[in-house]
């Protein structure tokens, strides 16, 4: 009977007849309608609050996602700026080294850019240009330092090697004779190359 007392609540009395139990069940059922309506209203209120919280969460997630996108965009911008600065520093360092080696400004800039970009074909081509310019500069420098022949001498730089060789041999100075012989041969070879 404890089941019946739980079901009927205050309407339960000890020793109830079947008719009394039926009548009590009907009154209990009517009270349940009010309770069911109250519970339905509470459930509806809880559901609407949950929907409001979901909307707030979605709007907050959108704000969070927007903040995350802005942060990623800023990070990408900083990474690009960092890469640009590193490239600029590398270009400046290489260009200054090339200028110190004797490259002209435009060739140094072009070669430094090719080095940073990894274009080794361009670097090698520019190195060849540089070496050609250096070779011409060295030849021009040698030409400036070469003494001019004295007036009236015949392509010997103002010195008669045959006479000097004869004098060295006559005095027994074989070292001087060998020296003048070598100079004479070198002078003749230079004249042959110039023709």
């Amino acid at each position: 009977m404890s089941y019946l007392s739980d079901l009927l609540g205050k309407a339960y009395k000890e020793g109830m007849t079947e008719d009394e139990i039926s009548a009590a069940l009907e009154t209990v059922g009517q009270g349940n309608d009010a309770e069911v309506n109250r519970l339905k209203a509470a459930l509806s209120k809880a559901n609407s609050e949950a929907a409001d919280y979901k909307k707030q969460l979605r709007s907050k997630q959108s704000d969070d996602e927007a903040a995350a996108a802005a942060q990623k965009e800023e990070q990408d911008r900083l990474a690009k700026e960092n890469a640009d600065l590193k490239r600029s520093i590398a270009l400046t360092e290489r260009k200054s080294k090339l200028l110190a080696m004797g490259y002209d400004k435009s060739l140094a800039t072009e070669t430094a850019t090719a080095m940073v970009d990894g274009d080794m074909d361009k670097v090698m081509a520019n190195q060849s240009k540089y070496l050609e310019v250096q070779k011409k500069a060295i030849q021009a420098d040698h030409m400036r330092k070469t003494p001019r022949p004295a007036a009236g001498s015949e392509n010997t730089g103002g010195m008669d090697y045959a006479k000097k060789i004869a004098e060295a041999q006559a005095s027994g100075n074989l070292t001087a004779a060998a020296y003048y012989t070598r100079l004479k041969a070198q002078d003749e070879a230079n004249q042959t190359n110039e023709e």
Side-chain angles (χ1 to χ4, degrees):
M1 289 285 199
S2 88
Y3 168 72
L4 222 85
S5 66
D6 289 340
L7 183 64
L8 295 176
K10 293 180 184 176
Y12 177 75
K13 295 176 189 160
E14 202 59 44
M16 288 177 78
T17 64
E18 221 178 274
D19 290 333
E20 291 173 337
I21 293 174
S22 292
L25 280 174
E26 285 177 11
T27 54
V28 169
Q30 289 173 357
N32 279 347
D33 285 341
E35 182 67 19
V36 167
N37 288 338
R38 186 185 65 75
L39 290 175
K40 281 183 181 180
L43 179 64
S44 175
K45 182 180 176 187
N47 283 341
S48 68
E49 286 177 3
D52 288 342
Y53 287 130
K54 271 188 176 179
K55 286 179 185 176
Q56 289 176 1
L57 180 63
R58 285 187 189 137
S59 69
K60 181 149 179 67
Q61 283 177 339
S62 296
D63 291 343
D64 289 345
E65 289 170 357
Q71 184 179 8
K72 181 173 178 6
E73 184 178 314
E74 178 68 13
Q75 188 176 9
D76 290 345
R77 184 190 67 78
L78 288 174
K80 183 180 182 331
E81 185 177 326
N82 187 24
D84 290 345
L85 288 174
K86 284 182 180 179
R87 176 180 167 78
S88 176
I89 289 170
L91 279 171
T92 303
E93 287 175 351
R94 286 185 174 84
K95 182 178 176 181
S96 65
K97 288 179 182 177
L98 292 170
L99 288 171
M101 287 174 52
Y103 277 70
D104 67 25
K105 190 173 182 178
S106 64
L107 190 61
T109 302
E110 189 178 318
T111 305
T113 303
M115 285 176 164
V116 170
D117 293 342
D119 185 0
M120 292 310 293
D121 292 335
K122 185 71 170 175
V123 171
M124 297 310 273
N126 288 348
Q127 180 69 20
S128 295
K129 289 178 189 176
Y130 167 73
L131 290 174
E132 189 63 34
V133 168
Q134 286 299 102
K135 184 177 177 182
K136 288 179 182 178
I138 290 170
Q139 285 177 345
D141 187 47
H142 283 299
M143 293 299 281
R144 276 193 304 273
K145 290 180 180 177
T146 303
R148 303 235 183 259
S153 64
E154 296 182 18
N155 296 329
T156 60
M159 188 174 294
D160 184 4
Y161 291 117
K163 182 177 175 185
K164 291 286 188 181
I165 293 169
E167 288 175 3
Q169 287 175 345
S171 66
N173 189 348
L174 297 179
T175 306
Y179 173 73
Y180 289 122
T181 303
R182 186 183 67 78
L183 287 178
K184 180 180 178 186
Q186 187 177 2
D187 189 44
E188 289 171 355
N190 285 343
Q191 288 178 9
T192 305
N193 287 338
E194 289 176 4
E195 294 173 358

